Amino acid sequence: EAGKQKIPPADATDLVSAGRAALSNSEFEEAASILYRALSEGGRSDEAEAEIRVMLSEALEELSRFDEVSAAVSKYEDPHAVVALSPGMRARVKLRVGWAHSWLRNHPKAIAHFNDAKKAFLELQDDRGLSEAQYALGRTYIGISEFRIARDHLMAAVSPLNPDRDGELLARIY
């Protein structure tokens, strides 16, 4: 809305909530700005920082700022940085690191991270996460012209999804 000025959030929790809201409303530039600000404030748990970095990488990906996507999640290339995270966040971080590599055409590293995420989502029995990892693998295999392998991953990505609940992911896959 033109002329409507947004009031900046007052504290760190508000920043994360505002960043999440902007991301879910497809306001990617706004989300990135807020999440960069939230990161700069520091003083968070490892889990909270990872959540911010995951959301930031998603916003930057939507803006096609792939070098920044990589920078947002690069700290999780170090296995020591991932150990302190919950299993669910570890899986999400591995998925985001994989996407960063995929967009930068480092397909072998992308595939390795996606396979790690897939394994983690399987262990967590997280069907949506598993579908996201399968989709990521399929998309990456398309990028290296391995269409049969890509098809297998994309078909596996679709099978556990519910059209009412997972419409956005299904649209990306199709």
Side-chain angles (χ1 to χ4, degrees), residues 46 49-50 53 72-79 81-82 85 93 97:
D46 292 336
E49 180 182 343
R53 288 181 179 279
V73 294
S74 65
K75 80 178 280 178
Y76 302 113
E77 293 280 357
D78 177 1
V82 180
L85 303 176
V93 161
V97 172

Side-chain angles (χ1 to χ4, degrees), residues 128-129 131-132 135 157 161 166-174:
R128 180 171 170 88
S131 287
E132 288 183 46
Y135 165 64
L161 295 177
D166 302 312
E168 184 179 324
L169 180 55
L170 281 167
R172 281 189 278 147
I173 293 169
Y174 286 119

Side-chain angles (χ1 to χ4, degrees), residues 114-165:
F114 291 147
N115 279 322
D116 287 347
K118 178 180 157 186
K119 181 181 176 194
F121 287 126
L122 271 169
E123 290 170 3
L124 292 166
Q125 299 178 355
D126 180 341
D127 286 341
R128 180 171 170 88
L130 181 58
S131 287
E132 288 183 46
Q134 293 281 25
Y135 165 64
L137 282 160
R139 180 92 166 67
T140 301
Y141 277 110
I142 288 171
I144 57 175
S145 300
E146 291 286 353
F147 300 111
R148 288 186 181 140
I149 297 170
R151 181 204 58 219
D152 292 345
H153 285 291
L154 294 171
M155 295 300 290
V158 169
S159 65
L161 295 177
N162 177 330
D164 294 329
R165 186 188 64 231

Side-chain angles (χ1 to χ4, degrees), residues 17-130:
S17 296
R20 186 179 295 109
L23 187 59
S24 70
N25 290 327
S26 301
E27 297 170 351
F28 304 118
E29 196 67 56
E30 179 75 9
S33 175
I34 292 168
L35 293 166
Y36 269 128
R37 190 167 141 209
L39 259 186
S40 72
E41 293 195 356
R44 302 192 165 14
S45 69
D46 292 336
E47 190 85 4
E49 180 182 343
E51 179 185 12
I52 292 168
R53 288 181 179 279
V54 163
M55 289 189 296
L56 177 59
S57 74
E58 291 170 0
L60 294 168
E61 180 179 301
E62 291 292 341
L63 297 167
S64 299
R65 290 164 40 187
F66 303 124
D67 288 327
E68 289 179 69
V69 170
S70 181
V73 294
S74 65
K75 80 178 280 178
Y76 302 113
E77 293 280 357
D78 177 1
H80 294 81
V82 180
V83 169
L85 303 176
S86 69
M89 186 55 72
R90 260 196 307 268
R92 300 238 52 92
V93 161
K94 289 176 182 184
L95 188 64
R96 297 309 311 160
V97 172
W99 275 118
H101 285 297
S102 185
W103 292 122
L104 295 175
R105 306 287 185 247
N106 189 345
H107 297 115
K109 278 190 171 185
I111 290 167
H113 283 284
F114 291 147
N115 279 322
D116 287 347
K118 178 180 157 186
K119 181 181 176 194
F121 287 126
L122 271 169
E123 290 170 3
L124 292 166
Q125 299 178 355
D126 180 341
D127 286 341
R128 180 171 170 88
L130 181 58

